[in-house]
Amino acid sequence: MSDSSTCRWFYITWWVAFLSTTYGKRKGQSPFRTGKQYSVSMDRFDRQLRLWGGLGHKCLAGAKVCLVTESCNEPLLLELQRHLLLAGVSRFMIFSHTERAVPNTDQEGGFAFINETEELESLNPQIHLEWNVFSWSELQQQSFRDVSVVLVLNCRKANCVPELTAKRQSSVVFPPVLLAGIDWPLAYSYLWLKEPHLVLSTNPEYAVPDLRLTEPWPELLRYMDSLDLTVLREDQLAEVPYPVILFKALQMTSRDDGIYPLLQNIDQCYLSRSSEGMNDPNFRQAKRSARQAINSVGNCRKRVSVLLARLQKNWLLQDWHSHLNMLIATLCKALALYLDMYQQIPLPGGDFPDMEAGTKPYNELRAIYSKKSLQDRQALKQILAQVGAYDFPEEVLEKFCENINHWTIIEPVAGVNDDLIPGIFCGTASDLNIHSKLFAKMSVNELPVVEKLLELIKGTHNNNANTDTGTNTPSNSFPGTAFLGGVLSQEVIKLVTHQYVPIDNTFIYDMLADESFTLKF
């Protein structure tokens, strides 16, 4: 083995040993203090920052979650809190049908999760756990003003949901409620909203870039006109960003010609100047993106206009339960004025795509888009000041403008008897005269699942006195609890961060058939 190979092998071996020692030890056993701190921060929070950003992480750190449960030993309570602790939620309010319990680790009984205090704290040692424990009789005395989300877990007593309904009806504002349970073989959840839930970013898996090639602003137009593809060598042409190729082809195409003439003009614009053009990645990227170049601007503007029209009646609300809802609604009011003023929406700041292009031309084009998006954001900020939002949070404004084409609204169920609909998830299911309405819009596949759910819930409540709610019952089976705990924690995080789209409004999972359904009751 040569000297260089020996050195390289020693380096790799040392590095693997270092990683194993630093990250492979249990808490408190790592000999590298700085390495341990790095591991904690990266393992736990780096992924969260990538998912939700600094704003979302801040929302989770400040959240307070209310958990309503019937049994002192409800496994779903522990499972849900475990997930939320890992995400950074530290404040909890718990209501139980049992007598009021005091958090402790020495006495037997009480809430199951309280006996696991040390284990839960070790999941996320960087936060300080806070909880307040109450009995159901104290529910009406709580304001719920500082609560982010309420979760009702496996509550089969008939009086729980009606009491929560009465409290919700008497309150001007109220947090989102998630009713959830496991009635073997079904696990289910229901999102119960009092006010619209505004999603700051839906984070779609595939986003069409908003390049504005059919409606260029002056600086972009000057840049495009300064490039003459006819004088470039083949190697220079191969480094041209694909929006430039699309723009040149669009200039040769009439607005009403459609996609096929545009594709032909791309070929004429590029292949006539490059004998190897068919193999150039930027040429293929231009062909793939041609349809988007025609439709993206109008589609984005139309989508935003529809959402603003849906939300307009809520702009006049003086009070919102969710502070972030209020901020987004204020942004939407300013956005409507911006749209009237400029006949366009702000250019997204984080929507510039990767390209098969040379570094220099790519950076030049990206700088033009970044400058425009910053100018548009400042213009929207000025309109915010005009509507009275002088000290609007910059991080919320930036996040909204980055995702201007990817926000949406989840609206409460409309109707006179909105507050009675969750009755299908409690003991009054057989008394509600709503089954015909529920079944009317369901498909052939959905109807049997919903009928099965109603029968299971009805049977559970009718036999409630003889039902064992201990940890070994099918309703509290480990697979169902683990699955539903993961689903509910995911929905709580969506509601708290206002990112990603919550399930609207009912989710049912059949554990035997391994099938899931989302329904709108």
Side-chain angles (χ1 to χ4, degrees):
M1 184 179 291
S2 65
D3 292 341
S4 60
S5 299
T6 302
C7 292
R8 184 165 59 251
W9 178 251
F10 172 80
Y11 175 78
I12 294 173
T13 305
W14 178 87
W15 182 244
V16 170
F18 173 79
L19 291 177
S20 301
T21 305
T22 304
Y23 302 117
K25 295 287 186 179
R26 295 182 59 188
K27 177 178 178 289
Q29 295 180 341
S30 172
F32 299 96
R33 179 170 178 82
T34 56
K36 183 182 72 173
Q37 291 174 340
Y38 177 82
S39 175
V40 169
S41 63
M42 291 297 291
D43 287 351
R44 181 161 295 118
F45 297 122
D46 182 62
R47 288 173 294 177
Q48 295 180 195
L49 292 174
R50 290 173 183 270
L51 284 171
W52 312 304
L55 176 61
H57 188 71
K58 187 182 298 184
C59 291
L60 287 170
K64 184 176 184 179
V65 176
C66 175
L67 301 162
V68 182
T69 181
E70 181 177 313
S71 171
C72 298
N73 300 313
E74 174 58 60
L76 191 56
L77 186 69
L78 174 61
E79 186 70 17
L80 183 60
Q81 192 180 43
R82 180 175 68 85
H83 283 291
L84 294 178
L85 276 169
L86 287 171
V89 179
S90 61
R91 298 192 300 154
F92 297 91
M93 174 189 288
I94 299 98
F95 288 89
S96 171
H97 184 55
T98 57
E99 294 298 324
R100 180 168 181 161
V102 178
N104 66 81
T105 57
D106 300 325
Q107 301 178 5
E108 295 183 357
F111 286 89
F113 74 88
I114 294 176
N115 293 330
E116 303 290 340
T117 301
E118 292 184 2
E119 285 77 4
L120 285 173
E121 289 180 345
S122 68
L123 292 175
N124 197 343
Q126 293 180 326
I127 66 173
H128 175 66
L129 269 172
E130 298 178 20
W131 53 64
N132 295 304
V133 185
F134 305 93
S135 67
W136 277 7
S137 60
E138 299 173 274
L139 188 146
Q140 293 293 335
Q141 284 74 49
Q142 304 301 318
S143 68
F144 291 91
R145 183 73 210 202
D146 62 339
V147 173
S148 306
V149 184
V150 177
L151 294 104
V152 182
L153 308 175
N154 275 329
C155 287
R156 292 169 175 80
K157 294 289 186 181
N159 62 327
C160 174
V161 174
E163 283 191 18
L164 191 64
T165 299
K167 179 62 181 178
R168 183 175 178 272
Q169 287 177 322
S170 63
S171 303
V172 177
V173 294
F174 205 79
V177 179
L178 281 166
L179 296 105
I182 304 170
D183 284 282
W184 184 263
L186 300 182
Y188 54 87
S189 70
Y190 176 88
L191 177 59
W192 193 16
L193 295 175
K194 189 175 180 72
E195 68 184 24
H197 176 73
L198 307 184
V199 181
L200 190 60
S201 173
T202 60
N203 293 294
E205 291 185 8
Y206 177 75
V208 177
D210 188 359
L211 297 175
R212 309 282 172 94
L213 297 179
T214 57
E215 300 178 14
W217 59 98
E219 187 176 2
L220 179 63
L221 186 60
R222 287 194 298 270
Y223 175 78
M224 294 295 187
D225 289 342
S226 69
L227 297 177
D228 186 358
L229 302 188
T230 62
V231 302
L232 298 181
R233 301 188 309 270
E234 287 193 21
D235 60 319
Q236 294 174 320
L237 191 63
E239 294 189 346
V240 172
Y242 81 85
V244 177
I245 303 170
L246 278 175
F247 183 83
K248 298 296 184 181
L250 283 167
Q251 286 185 316
M252 302 163 56
T253 309
S254 172
R255 184 177 294 271
D256 300 325
D257 282 351
I259 184 64
Y260 293 108
L262 176 59
L263 294 174
Q264 293 173 355
N265 288 333
I266 293 174
D267 292 342
Q268 180 182 346
C269 179
Y270 198 92
L271 297 182
S272 62
R273 298 174 176 87
S274 175
S275 58
E276 299 295 329
M278 291 292 294
N279 298 321
D280 290 347
N282 60 339
F283 168 74
R284 294 197 297 267
Q285 199 171 23
K287 297 274 282 192
R288 289 196 306 269
S289 307
R291 192 179 300 274
Q292 301 171 0
I294 297 176
N295 299 324
S296 62
V297 178
N299 289 343
C300 293
R301 187 164 50 226
K302 182 178 179 181
R303 179 184 180 276
V304 168
S305 298
V306 171
L307 289 173
L308 290 175
R310 286 170 52 190
L311 188 63
Q312 190 169 7
K313 61 180 180 295
N314 298 105
W315 291 342
L316 299 177
L317 290 178
Q318 298 299 315
D319 200 7
W320 291 77
H321 177 270
S322 168
H323 180 64
L324 197 49
N325 261 350
M326 183 269 292
L327 292 177
I328 301 172
T330 304
L331 277 168
C332 290
K333 183 176 181 180
L335 180 60
L337 297 174
Y338 185 102
L339 190 57
D340 289 339
M341 186 179 302
Y342 298 103
Q343 304 302 308
Q344 187 56 276
I345 59 176
L347 186 71
D351 204 31
F352 197 71
D354 291 333
M355 297 177 188
E356 301 287 352
T359 302
K360 183 176 183 296
Y362 174 80
N363 286 335
E364 289 175 349
L365 189 59
R366 183 174 185 172
I368 294 173
Y369 278 86
S370 297
K371 181 179 178 181
K372 171 63 173 173
S373 65
L374 180 60
Q375 291 173 345
D376 289 356
R377 191 167 80 227
Q378 293 303 317
L380 185 62
K381 187 175 182 179
Q382 292 177 359
I383 296 177
L384 283 169
Q386 293 174 12
V387 299
Y390 299 101
D391 299 321
F392 197 88
E394 189 68 30
E395 57 185 349
V396 180
L397 174 61
E398 183 176 354
K399 186 75 173 179
F400 184 75
C401 289
E402 285 180 356
N403 299 276
I404 197 75
N405 295 319
H406 308 304
W407 64 278
T408 192
I409 309 169
I410 305 296
E411 296 179 275
V413 176
V416 178
N417 296 323
D418 298 348
D419 291 325
L420 298 180
I421 291 177
I424 66 172
F425 298 106
C426 71
T428 58
S430 60
D431 302 328
L432 292 176
N433 187 25
I434 61 173
H435 290 190
S436 59
K437 295 180 181 179
L438 293 178
F439 296 157
K441 297 182 179 180
M442 292 181 183
S443 68
V444 177
N445 293 329
E446 296 169 345
L447 189 57
V449 179
V450 176
E451 289 178 333
K452 184 194 295 186
L453 175 62
L454 292 174
E455 286 299 320
L456 286 170
I457 294 174
K458 180 180 177 181
T460 300
H461 292 300
N462 289 343
N463 300 320
N464 190 62
N466 300 320
T467 301
D468 178 15
T469 58
T471 58
N472 295 321
T473 61
S475 64
N476 283 321
S477 64
F478 174 76
T481 298
F483 176 81
L484 190 59
V487 171
L488 292 175
S489 61
Q490 168 185 281
E491 296 308 298
V492 170
I493 291 170
K494 290 177 184 177
L495 292 169
V496 170
T497 63
H498 291 255
Q499 296 184 53
Y500 296 90
V501 183
I503 296 174
D504 183 22
N505 56 28
T506 302
F507 172 77
I508 304 174
Y509 176 62
D510 189 330
M511 286 174 272
L512 288 179
D514 193 22
E515 294 179 340
S516 61
F517 298 86
T518 55
L519 308 169
K520 188 72 176 282
F521 283 173

